mmCIF file with all atom_site columns, all heavy atoms in Angstrom:
data_model
loop_
_atom_site.group_PDB
_atom_site.id
_atom_site.type_symbol
_atom_site.label_atom_id
_atom_site.label_alt_id
_atom_site.label_comp_id
_atom_site.label_asym_id
_atom_site.label_entity_id
_atom_site.label_seq_id
_atom_site.pdbx_PDB_ins_code
_atom_site.Cartn_x
_atom_site.Cartn_y
_atom_site.Cartn_z
_atom_site.occupancy
_atom_site.B_iso_or_equiv
_atom_site.pdbx_formal_charge
_atom_site.auth_seq_id
_atom_site.auth_comp_id
_atom_site.auth_asym_id
_atom_site.auth_atom_id
_atom_site.pdbx_PDB_model_num
ATOM 1   N N   . THR Q 1 34 ? -4.291  -5.191  5.716   1.00 98.00 ? 39 THR Q N   1
ATOM 2   C CA  . THR Q 1 34 ? -4.873  -6.077  4.713   1.00 98.00 ? 39 THR Q CA  1
ATOM 3   C C   . THR Q 1 34 ? -6.064  -6.800  5.323   1.00 98.00 ? 39 THR Q C   1
ATOM 4   O O   . THR Q 1 34 ? -6.173  -6.933  6.543   1.00 98.00 ? 39 THR Q O   1
ATOM 5   C CB  . THR Q 1 34 ? -3.864  -7.139  4.228   1.00 98.00 ? 39 THR Q CB  1
ATOM 6   O OG1 . THR Q 1 34 ? -3.645  -8.092  5.269   1.00 98.00 ? 39 THR Q OG1 1
ATOM 7   C CG2 . THR Q 1 34 ? -2.556  -6.511  3.794   1.00 98.00 ? 39 THR Q CG2 1
ATOM 8   N N   . SER Q 1 35 ? -6.928  -7.305  4.475   1.00 98.00 ? 40 SER Q N   1
ATOM 9   C CA  . SER Q 1 35 ? -8.047  -8.119  4.945   1.00 98.00 ? 40 SER Q CA  1
ATOM 10  C C   . SER Q 1 35 ? -7.526  -9.476  5.421   1.00 98.00 ? 40 SER Q C   1
ATOM 11  O O   . SER Q 1 35 ? -6.393  -9.866  5.123   1.00 98.00 ? 40 SER Q O   1
ATOM 12  C CB  . SER Q 1 35 ? -9.079  -8.293  3.824   1.00 98.00 ? 40 SER Q CB  1
ATOM 13  O OG  . SER Q 1 35 ? -8.475  -8.863  2.678   1.00 98.00 ? 40 SER Q OG  1
ATOM 14  N N   . ASP Q 1 36 ? -8.373  -10.185 6.144   1.00 97.00 ? 41 ASP Q N   1
ATOM 15  C CA  . ASP Q 1 36 ? -7.950  -11.455 6.762   1.00 97.00 ? 41 ASP Q CA  1
ATOM 16  C C   . ASP Q 1 36 ? -7.764  -12.583 5.756   1.00 97.00 ? 41 ASP Q C   1
ATOM 17  O O   . ASP Q 1 36 ? -7.203  -13.614 6.091   1.00 97.00 ? 41 ASP Q O   1
ATOM 18  C CB  . ASP Q 1 36 ? -8.926  -11.871 7.859   1.00 97.00 ? 41 ASP Q CB  1
ATOM 19  C CG  . ASP Q 1 36 ? -10.349 -12.050 7.363   1.00 97.00 ? 41 ASP Q CG  1
ATOM 20  O OD1 . ASP Q 1 36 ? -10.631 -11.774 6.172   1.00 97.00 ? 41 ASP Q OD1 1
ATOM 21  O OD2 . ASP Q 1 36 ? -11.199 -12.460 8.159   1.00 97.00 ? 41 ASP Q OD2 1
ATOM 22  N N   . ASN Q 1 37 ? -8.198  -12.397 4.512   1.00 97.00 ? 42 ASN Q N   1
ATOM 23  C CA  . ASN Q 1 37 ? -8.036  -13.456 3.502   1.00 97.00 ? 42 ASN Q CA  1
ATOM 24  C C   . ASN Q 1 37 ? -6.817  -13.223 2.610   1.00 97.00 ? 42 ASN Q C   1
ATOM 25  O O   . ASN Q 1 37 ? -6.652  -13.886 1.599   1.00 97.00 ? 42 ASN Q O   1
ATOM 26  C CB  . ASN Q 1 37 ? -9.297  -13.581 2.653   1.00 97.00 ? 42 ASN Q CB  1
ATOM 27  C CG  . ASN Q 1 37 ? -9.547  -12.356 1.804   1.00 97.00 ? 42 ASN Q CG  1
ATOM 28  O OD1 . ASN Q 1 37 ? -9.195  -11.244 2.179   1.00 97.00 ? 42 ASN Q OD1 1
ATOM 29  N ND2 . ASN Q 1 37 ? -10.174 -12.549 0.667   1.00 97.00 ? 42 ASN Q ND2 1
ATOM 30  N N   . THR Q 1 38 ? -5.938  -12.281 2.978   1.00 97.00 ? 43 THR Q N   1
ATOM 31  C CA  . THR Q 1 38 ? -4.756  -11.960 2.166   1.00 97.00 ? 43 THR Q CA  1
ATOM 32  C C   . THR Q 1 38 ? -3.668  -13.001 2.388   1.00 97.00 ? 43 THR Q C   1
ATOM 33  O O   . THR Q 1 38 ? -3.341  -13.341 3.523   1.00 97.00 ? 43 THR Q O   1
ATOM 34  C CB  . THR Q 1 38 ? -4.220  -10.568 2.546   1.00 97.00 ? 43 THR Q CB  1
ATOM 35  O OG1 . THR Q 1 38 ? -5.259  -9.609  2.358   1.00 97.00 ? 43 THR Q OG1 1
ATOM 36  C CG2 . THR Q 1 38 ? -3.013  -10.185 1.703   1.00 97.00 ? 43 THR Q CG2 1
ATOM 37  N N   . ASP Q 1 39 ? -3.109  -13.500 1.295   1.00 97.00 ? 44 ASP Q N   1
ATOM 38  C CA  . ASP Q 1 39 ? -1.948  -14.395 1.355   1.00 97.00 ? 44 ASP Q CA  1
ATOM 39  C C   . ASP Q 1 39 ? -0.708  -13.503 1.405   1.00 97.00 ? 44 ASP Q C   1
ATOM 40  O O   . ASP Q 1 39 ? -0.255  -12.988 0.378   1.00 97.00 ? 44 ASP Q O   1
ATOM 41  C CB  . ASP Q 1 39 ? -1.929  -15.312 0.133   1.00 97.00 ? 44 ASP Q CB  1
ATOM 42  C CG  . ASP Q 1 39 ? -0.752  -16.261 0.122   1.00 97.00 ? 44 ASP Q CG  1
ATOM 43  O OD1 . ASP Q 1 39 ? 0.124   -16.171 1.018   1.00 97.00 ? 44 ASP Q OD1 1
ATOM 44  O OD2 . ASP Q 1 39 ? -0.683  -17.101 -0.792  1.00 97.00 ? 44 ASP Q OD2 1
ATOM 45  N N   . ALA Q 1 40 ? -0.163  -13.305 2.596   1.00 97.00 ? 45 ALA Q N   1
ATOM 46  C CA  . ALA Q 1 40 ? 0.943   -12.360 2.797   1.00 97.00 ? 45 ALA Q CA  1
ATOM 47  C C   . ALA Q 1 40 ? 2.170   -12.708 1.959   1.00 97.00 ? 45 ALA Q C   1
ATOM 48  O O   . ALA Q 1 40 ? 2.951   -11.826 1.604   1.00 97.00 ? 45 ALA Q O   1
ATOM 49  C CB  . ALA Q 1 40 ? 1.308   -12.292 4.275   1.00 97.00 ? 45 ALA Q CB  1
ATOM 50  N N   . LYS Q 1 41 ? 2.345   -13.984 1.608   1.00 97.00 ? 46 LYS Q N   1
ATOM 51  C CA  . LYS Q 1 41 ? 3.511   -14.386 0.798   1.00 97.00 ? 46 LYS Q CA  1
ATOM 52  C C   . LYS Q 1 41 ? 3.457   -13.795 -0.608  1.00 97.00 ? 46 LYS Q C   1
ATOM 53  O O   . LYS Q 1 41 ? 4.487   -13.705 -1.276  1.00 97.00 ? 46 LYS Q O   1
ATOM 54  C CB  . LYS Q 1 41 ? 3.613   -15.907 0.715   1.00 97.00 ? 46 LYS Q CB  1
ATOM 55  C CG  . LYS Q 1 41 ? 3.851   -16.596 2.053   1.00 97.00 ? 46 LYS Q CG  1
ATOM 56  C CD  . LYS Q 1 41 ? 4.012   -18.091 1.914   1.00 97.00 ? 46 LYS Q CD  1
ATOM 57  C CE  . LYS Q 1 41 ? 2.831   -18.838 1.368   1.00 97.00 ? 46 LYS Q CE  1
ATOM 58  N NZ  . LYS Q 1 41 ? 1.588   -18.808 2.111   1.00 97.00 ? 46 LYS Q NZ  1
ATOM 59  N N   . THR Q 1 42 ? 2.274   -13.394 -1.062  1.00 97.00 ? 47 THR Q N   1
ATOM 60  C CA  . THR Q 1 42 ? 2.136   -12.869 -2.422  1.00 97.00 ? 47 THR Q CA  1
ATOM 61  C C   . THR Q 1 42 ? 2.103   -11.339 -2.453  1.00 97.00 ? 47 THR Q C   1
ATOM 62  O O   . THR Q 1 42 ? 1.979   -10.751 -3.523  1.00 97.00 ? 47 THR Q O   1
ATOM 63  C CB  . THR Q 1 42 ? 0.850   -13.409 -3.079  1.00 97.00 ? 47 THR Q CB  1
ATOM 64  O OG1 . THR Q 1 42 ? -0.296  -12.894 -2.378  1.00 97.00 ? 47 THR Q OG1 1
ATOM 65  C CG2 . THR Q 1 42 ? 0.817   -14.925 -3.077  1.00 97.00 ? 47 THR Q CG2 1
ATOM 66  N N   . LEU Q 1 43 ? 2.212   -10.694 -1.310  1.00 98.00 ? 48 LEU Q N   1
ATOM 67  C CA  . LEU Q 1 43 ? 2.101   -9.243  -1.210  1.00 98.00 ? 48 LEU Q CA  1
ATOM 68  C C   . LEU Q 1 43 ? 3.326   -8.560  -1.827  1.00 98.00 ? 48 LEU Q C   1
ATOM 69  O O   . LEU Q 1 43 ? 4.464   -8.913  -1.509  1.00 98.00 ? 48 LEU Q O   1
ATOM 70  C CB  . LEU Q 1 43 ? 1.975   -8.859  0.262   1.00 98.00 ? 48 LEU Q CB  1
ATOM 71  C CG  . LEU Q 1 43 ? 1.533   -7.451  0.564   1.00 98.00 ? 48 LEU Q CG  1
ATOM 72  C CD1 . LEU Q 1 43 ? 0.064   -7.262  0.223   1.00 98.00 ? 48 LEU Q CD1 1
ATOM 73  C CD2 . LEU Q 1 43 ? 1.749   -7.155  2.034   1.00 98.00 ? 48 LEU Q CD2 1
ATOM 74  N N   . LYS Q 1 44 ? 3.065   -7.582  -2.699  1.00 98.00 ? 49 LYS Q N   1
ATOM 75  C CA  . LYS Q 1 44 ? 4.139   -6.782  -3.298  1.00 98.00 ? 49 LYS Q CA  1
ATOM 76  C C   . LYS Q 1 44 ? 3.732   -5.315  -3.225  1.00 98.00 ? 49 LYS Q C   1
ATOM 77  O O   . LYS Q 1 44 ? 2.566   -4.976  -3.437  1.00 98.00 ? 49 LYS Q O   1
ATOM 78  C CB  . LYS Q 1 44 ? 4.370   -7.177  -4.756  1.00 98.00 ? 49 LYS Q CB  1
ATOM 79  C CG  . LYS Q 1 44 ? 4.991   -8.547  -4.906  1.00 98.00 ? 49 LYS Q CG  1
ATOM 80  C CD  . LYS Q 1 44 ? 5.383   -8.801  -6.349  1.00 98.00 ? 49 LYS Q CD  1
ATOM 81  C CE  . LYS Q 1 44 ? 6.210   -10.049 -6.484  1.00 98.00 ? 49 LYS Q CE  1
ATOM 82  N NZ  . LYS Q 1 44 ? 5.473   -11.263 -6.601  1.00 98.00 ? 49 LYS Q NZ  1
ATOM 83  N N   . VAL Q 1 45 ? 4.713   -4.452  -2.911  1.00 98.00 ? 50 VAL Q N   1
ATOM 84  C CA  . VAL Q 1 45 ? 4.457   -3.023  -2.775  1.00 98.00 ? 50 VAL Q CA  1
ATOM 85  C C   . VAL Q 1 45 ? 5.507   -2.254  -3.569  1.00 98.00 ? 50 VAL Q C   1
ATOM 86  O O   . VAL Q 1 45 ? 6.705   -2.519  -3.435  1.00 98.00 ? 50 VAL Q O   1
ATOM 87  C CB  . VAL Q 1 45 ? 4.505   -2.582  -1.296  1.00 98.00 ? 50 VAL Q CB  1
ATOM 88  C CG1 . VAL Q 1 45 ? 4.210   -1.093  -1.168  1.00 98.00 ? 50 VAL Q CG1 1
ATOM 89  C CG2 . VAL Q 1 45 ? 3.535   -3.395  -0.445  1.00 98.00 ? 50 VAL Q CG2 1
ATOM 90  N N   . TRP Q 1 46 ? 5.033   -1.306  -4.375  1.00 98.00 ? 51 TRP Q N   1
ATOM 91  C CA  . TRP Q 1 46 ? 5.909   -0.415  -5.126  1.00 98.00 ? 51 TRP Q CA  1
ATOM 92  C C   . TRP Q 1 46 ? 5.612   1.014   -4.724  1.00 98.00 ? 51 TRP Q C   1
ATOM 93  O O   . TRP Q 1 46 ? 4.474   1.365   -4.433  1.00 98.00 ? 51 TRP Q O   1
ATOM 94  C CB  . TRP Q 1 46 ? 5.633   -0.509  -6.621  1.00 98.00 ? 51 TRP Q CB  1
ATOM 95  C CG  . TRP Q 1 46 ? 5.939   -1.799  -7.279  1.00 98.00 ? 51 TRP Q CG  1
ATOM 96  C CD1 . TRP Q 1 46 ? 7.062   -2.117  -7.985  1.00 98.00 ? 51 TRP Q CD1 1
ATOM 97  C CD2 . TRP Q 1 46 ? 5.098   -2.960  -7.354  1.00 98.00 ? 51 TRP Q CD2 1
ATOM 98  N NE1 . TRP Q 1 46 ? 6.965   -3.404  -8.469  1.00 98.00 ? 51 TRP Q NE1 1
ATOM 99  C CE2 . TRP Q 1 46 ? 5.778   -3.942  -8.104  1.00 98.00 ? 51 TRP Q CE2 1
ATOM 100 C CE3 . TRP Q 1 46 ? 3.837   -3.280  -6.849  1.00 98.00 ? 51 TRP Q CE3 1
ATOM 101 C CZ2 . TRP Q 1 46 ? 5.240   -5.196  -8.362  1.00 98.00 ? 51 TRP Q CZ2 1
ATOM 102 C CZ3 . TRP Q 1 46 ? 3.295   -4.522  -7.103  1.00 98.00 ? 51 TRP Q CZ3 1
ATOM 103 C CH2 . TRP Q 1 46 ? 3.994   -5.463  -7.851  1.00 98.00 ? 51 TRP Q CH2 1
ATOM 104 N N   . VAL Q 1 47 ? 6.635   1.856   -4.714  1.00 98.00 ? 52 VAL Q N   1
ATOM 105 C CA  . VAL Q 1 47 ? 6.459   3.300   -4.616  1.00 98.00 ? 52 VAL Q CA  1
ATOM 106 C C   . VAL Q 1 47 ? 7.170   3.897   -5.819  1.00 98.00 ? 52 VAL Q C   1
ATOM 107 O O   . VAL Q 1 47 ? 8.363   3.636   -6.027  1.00 98.00 ? 52 VAL Q O   1
ATOM 108 C CB  . VAL Q 1 47 ? 7.003   3.875   -3.293  1.00 98.00 ? 52 VAL Q CB  1
ATOM 109 C CG1 . VAL Q 1 47 ? 6.954   5.406   -3.310  1.00 98.00 ? 52 VAL Q CG1 1
ATOM 110 C CG2 . VAL Q 1 47 ? 6.209   3.339   -2.105  1.00 98.00 ? 52 VAL Q CG2 1
ATOM 111 N N   . ASN Q 1 48 ? 6.424   4.638   -6.615  1.00 97.00 ? 53 ASN Q N   1
ATOM 112 C CA  . ASN Q 1 48 ? 6.944   5.230   -7.859  1.00 97.00 ? 53 ASN Q CA  1
ATOM 113 C C   . ASN Q 1 48 ? 7.662   4.182   -8.707  1.00 97.00 ? 53 ASN Q C   1
ATOM 114 O O   . ASN Q 1 48 ? 8.770   4.386   -9.197  1.00 97.00 ? 53 ASN Q O   1
ATOM 115 C CB  . ASN Q 1 48 ? 7.841   6.431   -7.559  1.00 97.00 ? 53 ASN Q CB  1
ATOM 116 C CG  . ASN Q 1 48 ? 7.051   7.580   -6.967  1.00 97.00 ? 53 ASN Q CG  1
ATOM 117 O OD1 . ASN Q 1 48 ? 5.827   7.587   -6.991  1.00 97.00 ? 53 ASN Q OD1 1
ATOM 118 N ND2 . ASN Q 1 48 ? 7.736   8.563   -6.426  1.00 97.00 ? 53 ASN Q ND2 1
ATOM 119 N N   . ASN Q 1 49 ? 7.011   3.033   -8.856  1.00 97.00 ? 54 ASN Q N   1
ATOM 120 C CA  . ASN Q 1 49 ? 7.469   1.911   -9.688  1.00 97.00 ? 54 ASN Q CA  1
ATOM 121 C C   . ASN Q 1 49 ? 8.747   1.236   -9.200  1.00 97.00 ? 54 ASN Q C   1
ATOM 122 O O   . ASN Q 1 49 ? 9.390   0.524   -9.962  1.00 97.00 ? 54 ASN Q O   1
ATOM 123 C CB  . ASN Q 1 49 ? 7.627   2.341   -11.151 1.00 97.00 ? 54 ASN Q CB  1
ATOM 124 C CG  . ASN Q 1 49 ? 6.278   2.535   -11.816 1.00 97.00 ? 54 ASN Q CG  1
ATOM 125 O OD1 . ASN Q 1 49 ? 5.341   1.782   -11.553 1.00 97.00 ? 54 ASN Q OD1 1
ATOM 126 N ND2 . ASN Q 1 49 ? 6.162   3.541   -12.649 1.00 97.00 ? 54 ASN Q ND2 1
ATOM 127 N N   . LYS Q 1 50 ? 9.105   1.440   -7.921  1.00 97.00 ? 55 LYS Q N   1
ATOM 128 C CA  . LYS Q 1 50 ? 10.246  0.726   -7.353  1.00 97.00 ? 55 LYS Q CA  1
ATOM 129 C C   . LYS Q 1 50 ? 9.723   -0.262  -6.311  1.00 97.00 ? 55 LYS Q C   1
ATOM 130 O O   . LYS Q 1 50 ? 9.077   0.138   -5.343  1.00 97.00 ? 55 LYS Q O   1
ATOM 131 C CB  . LYS Q 1 50 ? 11.233  1.701   -6.700  1.00 97.00 ? 55 LYS Q CB  1
ATOM 132 C CG  . LYS Q 1 50 ? 11.931  2.558   -7.729  1.00 97.00 ? 55 LYS Q CG  1
ATOM 133 C CD  . LYS Q 1 50 ? 12.937  3.478   -7.096  1.00 97.00 ? 55 LYS Q CD  1
ATOM 134 C CE  . LYS Q 1 50 ? 13.551  4.348   -8.174  1.00 97.00 ? 55 LYS Q CE  1
ATOM 135 N NZ  . LYS Q 1 50 ? 14.247  5.492   -7.637  1.00 97.00 ? 55 LYS Q NZ  1
ATOM 136 N N   . LEU Q 1 51 ? 10.008  -1.545  -6.530  1.00 98.00 ? 56 LEU Q N   1
ATOM 137 C CA  . LEU Q 1 51 ? 9.572   -2.585  -5.600  1.00 98.00 ? 56 LEU Q CA  1
ATOM 138 C C   . LEU Q 1 51 ? 10.300  -2.408  -4.276  1.00 98.00 ? 56 LEU Q C   1
ATOM 139 O O   . LEU Q 1 51 ? 11.523  -2.227  -4.253  1.00 98.00 ? 56 LEU Q O   1
ATOM 140 C CB  . LEU Q 1 51 ? 9.869   -3.962  -6.200  1.00 98.00 ? 56 LEU Q CB  1
ATOM 141 C CG  . LEU Q 1 51 ? 9.370   -5.172  -5.426  1.00 98.00 ? 56 LEU Q CG  1
ATOM 142 C CD1 . LEU Q 1 51 ? 7.849   -5.169  -5.299  1.00 98.00 ? 56 LEU Q CD1 1
ATOM 143 C CD2 . LEU Q 1 51 ? 9.840   -6.445  -6.112  1.00 98.00 ? 56 LEU Q CD2 1
ATOM 144 N N   . LEU Q 1 52 ? 9.559   -2.444  -3.175  1.00 97.00 ? 57 LEU Q N   1
ATOM 145 C CA  . LEU Q 1 52 ? 10.142  -2.229  -1.856  1.00 97.00 ? 57 LEU Q CA  1
ATOM 146 C C   . LEU Q 1 52 ? 10.035  -3.482  -0.999  1.00 97.00 ? 57 LEU Q C   1
ATOM 147 O O   . LEU Q 1 52 ? 9.090   -4.257  -1.137  1.00 97.00 ? 57 LEU Q O   1
ATOM 148 C CB  . LEU Q 1 52 ? 9.394   -1.114  -1.113  1.00 97.00 ? 57 LEU Q CB  1
ATOM 149 C CG  . LEU Q 1 52 ? 9.482   0.288   -1.658  1.00 97.00 ? 57 LEU Q CG  1
ATOM 150 C CD1 . LEU Q 1 52 ? 8.679   1.220   -0.767  1.00 97.00 ? 57 LEU Q CD1 1
ATOM 151 C CD2 . LEU Q 1 52 ? 10.921  0.747   -1.732  1.00 97.00 ? 57 LEU Q CD2 1
ATOM 152 N N   . ASP Q 1 53 ? 10.989  -3.643  -0.098  1.00 96.00 ? 58 ASP Q N   1
ATOM 153 C CA  . ASP Q 1 53 ? 10.845  -4.622  0.970   1.00 96.00 ? 58 ASP Q CA  1
ATOM 154 C C   . ASP Q 1 53 ? 9.989   -3.969  2.044   1.00 96.00 ? 58 ASP Q C   1
ATOM 155 O O   . ASP Q 1 53 ? 10.246  -2.816  2.420   1.00 96.00 ? 58 ASP Q O   1
ATOM 156 C CB  . ASP Q 1 53 ? 12.213  -4.989  1.561   1.00 96.00 ? 58 ASP Q CB  1
ATOM 157 C CG  . ASP Q 1 53 ? 13.021  -5.846  0.613   1.00 96.00 ? 58 ASP Q CG  1
ATOM 158 O OD1 . ASP Q 1 53 ? 12.428  -6.648  -0.129  1.00 96.00 ? 58 ASP Q OD1 1
ATOM 159 O OD2 . ASP Q 1 53 ? 14.261  -5.712  0.620   1.00 96.00 ? 58 ASP Q OD2 1
ATOM 160 N N   . VAL Q 1 54 ? 8.990   -4.680  2.523   1.00 98.00 ? 59 VAL Q N   1
ATOM 161 C CA  . VAL Q 1 54 ? 8.104   -4.138  3.552   1.00 98.00 ? 59 VAL Q CA  1
ATOM 162 C C   . VAL Q 1 54 ? 8.067   -5.088  4.740   1.00 98.00 ? 59 VAL Q C   1
ATOM 163 O O   . VAL Q 1 54 ? 8.372   -6.269  4.622   1.00 98.00 ? 59 VAL Q O   1
ATOM 164 C CB  . VAL Q 1 54 ? 6.676   -3.902  3.006   1.00 98.00 ? 59 VAL Q CB  1
ATOM 165 C CG1 . VAL Q 1 54 ? 6.659   -2.765  1.999   1.00 98.00 ? 59 VAL Q CG1 1
ATOM 166 C CG2 . VAL Q 1 54 ? 6.085   -5.166  2.420   1.00 98.00 ? 59 VAL Q CG2 1
ATOM 167 N N   . GLU Q 1 55 ? 7.693   -4.542  5.877   1.00 98.00 ? 60 GLU Q N   1
ATOM 168 C CA  . GLU Q 1 55 ? 7.490   -5.343  7.086   1.00 98.00 ? 60 GLU Q CA  1
ATOM 169 C C   . GLU Q 1 55 ? 6.025   -5.751  7.128   1.00 98.00 ? 60 GLU Q C   1
ATOM 170 O O   . GLU Q 1 55 ? 5.137   -4.904  7.000   1.00 98.00 ? 60 GLU Q O   1
ATOM 171 C CB  . GLU Q 1 55 ? 7.862   -4.508  8.310   1.00 98.00 ? 60 GLU Q CB  1
ATOM 172 C CG  . GLU Q 1 55 ? 7.680   -5.223  9.611   1.00 98.00 ? 60 GLU Q CG  1
ATOM 173 C CD  . GLU Q 1 55 ? 7.980   -4.353  10.814  1.00 98.00 ? 60 GLU Q CD  1
ATOM 174 O OE1 . GLU Q 1 55 ? 8.196   -3.139  10.661  1.00 98.00 ? 60 GLU Q OE1 1
ATOM 175 O OE2 . GLU Q 1 55 ? 7.979   -4.908  11.929  1.00 98.00 ? 60 GLU Q OE2 1
ATOM 176 N N   . ILE Q 1 56 ? 5.774   -7.047  7.286   1.00 98.00 ? 61 ILE Q N   1
ATOM 177 C CA  . ILE Q 1 56 ? 4.404   -7.558  7.336   1.00 98.00 ? 61 ILE Q CA  1
ATOM 178 C C   . ILE Q 1 56 ? 4.180   -8.145  8.724   1.00 98.00 ? 61 ILE Q C   1
ATOM 179 O O   . ILE Q 1 56 ? 4.840   -9.107  9.111   1.00 98.00 ? 61 ILE Q O   1
ATOM 180 C CB  . ILE Q 1 56 ? 4.168   -8.612  6.247   1.00 98.00 ? 61 ILE Q CB  1
ATOM 181 C CG1 . ILE Q 1 56 ? 4.430   -8.008  4.865   1.00 98.00 ? 61 ILE Q CG1 1
ATOM 182 C CG2 . ILE Q 1 56 ? 2.748   -9.170  6.337   1.00 98.00 ? 61 ILE Q CG2 1
ATOM 183 C CD1 . ILE Q 1 56 ? 4.430   -9.013  3.735   1.00 98.00 ? 61 ILE Q CD1 1
ATOM 184 N N   . ILE Q 1 57 ? 3.273   -7.538  9.474   1.00 98.00 ? 62 ILE Q N   1
ATOM 185 C CA  . ILE Q 1 57 ? 3.011   -7.939  10.858  1.00 98.00 ? 62 ILE Q CA  1
ATOM 186 C C   . ILE Q 1 57 ? 1.674   -8.664  10.906  1.00 98.00 ? 62 ILE Q C   1
ATOM 187 O O   . ILE Q 1 57 ? 0.624   -8.058  10.676  1.00 98.00 ? 62 ILE Q O   1
ATOM 188 C CB  . ILE Q 1 57 ? 2.983   -6.708  11.781  1.00 98.00 ? 62 ILE Q CB  1
ATOM 189 C CG1 . ILE Q 1 57 ? 4.305   -5.941  11.652  1.00 98.00 ? 62 ILE Q CG1 1
ATOM 190 C CG2 . ILE Q 1 57 ? 2.709   -7.103  13.228  1.00 98.00 ? 62 ILE Q CG2 1
ATOM 191 C CD1 . ILE Q 1 57 ? 4.221   -4.499  12.041  1.00 98.00 ? 62 ILE Q CD1 1
#
Side-chain angles (χ1 to χ4, degrees):
T39 71
S40 57
D41 59 355
N42 66 329
T43 302
D44 180 355
K46 297 183 298 298
T47 66
L48 194 71
K49 290 188 170 85
V50 181
W51 294 262
V52 173
N53 293 347
N54 287 322
K55 291 182 183 164
L56 185 62
L57 294 180
D58 288 327
V59 291
E60 179 183 8
I61 301 171
I62 304 157

